[in-house]
């Protein structure tokens, strides 16, 4: 893993994710790229008043530079920090920068404590997860970086492209010497014994042959609750899923 992209809007949620991304970059000896997608703001008091684009761009660069300097001061020689900004819609611009920068991982904040953070930042992260060709690591506000010893791979054994899905998972697990716990949430035990799942399980087992891994089933009518309970029960540090 050589390049980590950390999009930011300079909010508390984003700052938490950037800090996590910096710690991750330090442990992975990766380059960190800070990125901000700015848009033209328009006010409507007695008419249409647009803030000059140059002002918005300069303010964006100023804040990115300040954030980069703060990280350089904290981490010193351990990480290389760069920053970029563009004008446009966040999801599209993040995808474009991730591609042009050959990013291996995108780290973004999610689920802030206030309405604006949760609805806007959360929705951008969610939209990016669905559209990005690069793995997206969503960081909850307040989450501190710790070595990823246990990774839960939530999997229903359907539509898996092993070369695409397992490459980033293997890279992270290899770096942190992580154990991968494959978990499938089912409503009844009868769902476990299908031929299709057995075949896909064999393929997955072969694909993870060199990694420490194990297979698990969680019985729950609600997939989210099933995964959440599994996380608590097994002390999971990271959850991997395919949207």
């Amino acid at each position: 893993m050589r390049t980590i992209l950390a999009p930011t809007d300079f909010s508390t949620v984003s700052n938490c994710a950037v800090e996590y991304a910096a710690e991750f970059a330090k442990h992975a000896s990766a380059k960190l790229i800070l990125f901000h997608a700015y848009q033209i703001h328009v006010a409507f008091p007695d008419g249409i008043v647009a803030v000059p684009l140059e002002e918005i761009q300069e303010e964006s660069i100023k804040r990115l530079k300040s954030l980069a300097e703060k990280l350089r001061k904290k981490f010193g020689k351990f990480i290389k920090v760069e920053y970029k900004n563009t004008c446009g819609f966040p999801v599209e611009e993040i995808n474009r920068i991730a591609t042009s920068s050959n990013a291996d991982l995108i780290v973004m904040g999610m689920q802030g404590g206030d309405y604006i953070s949760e609805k806007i930042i959360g929705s951008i992260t969610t939209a990016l997860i669905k559209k990005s060709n690069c793995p997206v690591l969503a960081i909850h506000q307040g989450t501190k970086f710790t070595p990823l010893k246990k990774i839960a791979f939530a999997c229903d054994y359907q539509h898996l492209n092993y070369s695409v899905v397992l490459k980033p998972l293997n890279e992270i697990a290899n770096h942190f010497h992580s154990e991968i716990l494959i978990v499938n949430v089912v409503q009844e035990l009868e769902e476990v014994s299908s031929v299709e799942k057995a075949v896909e399980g064999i393929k997955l087992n072969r694909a993870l042959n060199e990694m420490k891994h194990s297979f698990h089933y969680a019985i729950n009518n609600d997939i989210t609750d099933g995964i959440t309970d599994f996380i608590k029960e097994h002390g999971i540090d990271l959850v991997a899923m395919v949207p």
Side-chain angles (χ1 to χ4, degrees), residues 82-147:
E82 298 178 2
Y83 55 86
K84 300 179 180 182
N85 71 343
T86 60
C87 180
F89 295 105
V91 174
E92 287 76 7
E93 292 304 311
I94 292 168
N95 267 326
R96 189 178 65 79
I97 292 295
T99 300
S100 64
S101 303
N102 294 315
D104 300 295
L105 182 69
I106 299 171
V107 179
M108 287 190 71
M110 195 167 186
Q111 293 184 348
D114 57 75
Y115 181 84
I116 297 297
S117 294
E118 185 172 350
K119 296 301 177 185
I120 297 193
I121 299 171
S123 64
I124 290 174
T125 303
T126 303
L128 183 65
I129 287 171
K130 293 178 180 178
K131 295 182 179 181
S132 177
N133 291 322
C134 178
V136 179
L137 181 56
I139 305 299
H140 192 281
Q141 182 178 345
T143 301
K144 301 295 183 182
F145 179 87
T146 57

Side-chain angles (χ1 to χ4, degrees), residues 41-185:
H41 302 291
V42 179
F44 298 90
D46 300 316
I48 299 177
V49 180
V51 178
L53 185 62
E54 294 77 10
E55 278 188 32
I56 301 172
Q57 184 179 23
E58 287 176 9
E59 180 64 18
S60 172
I61 287 292
K62 180 181 177 181
R63 299 184 77 172
L64 282 170
K65 184 177 180 181
S66 174
L67 185 56
E69 289 301 323
K70 179 181 176 183
L71 293 175
R72 289 176 186 137
K73 188 175 182 179
K74 180 174 181 178
F75 294 95
K77 62 180 181 181
F78 294 105
I79 60 171
K80 180 181 179 182
V81 184
E82 298 178 2
Y83 55 86
K84 300 179 180 182
N85 71 343
T86 60
C87 180
F89 295 105
V91 174
E92 287 76 7
E93 292 304 311
I94 292 168
N95 267 326
R96 189 178 65 79
I97 292 295
T99 300
S100 64
S101 303
N102 294 315
D104 300 295
L105 182 69
I106 299 171
V107 179
M108 287 190 71
M110 195 167 186
Q111 293 184 348
D114 57 75
Y115 181 84
I116 297 297
S117 294
E118 185 172 350
K119 296 301 177 185
I120 297 193
I121 299 171
S123 64
I124 290 174
T125 303
T126 303
L128 183 65
I129 287 171
K130 293 178 180 178
K131 295 182 179 181
S132 177
N133 291 322
C134 178
V136 179
L137 181 56
I139 305 299
H140 192 281
Q141 182 178 345
T143 301
K144 301 295 183 182
F145 179 87
T146 57
L148 307 174
K149 296 303 180 184
K150 285 189 175 183
I151 300 175
F153 178 32
C155 172
D156 61 4
Y157 301 99
Q158 295 182 31
H159 314 298
L160 284 178
N161 183 328
Y162 293 101
S163 61
V164 173
V165 173
L166 298 183
K167 185 176 182 293
L169 186 60
N170 273 327
E171 284 185 2
I172 292 174
N174 269 318
H175 180 78
F176 291 102
H177 305 290
S178 312
E179 175 186 0
I180 300 175
L181 290 77
I182 301 98
V183 56
N184 181 206
V185 180

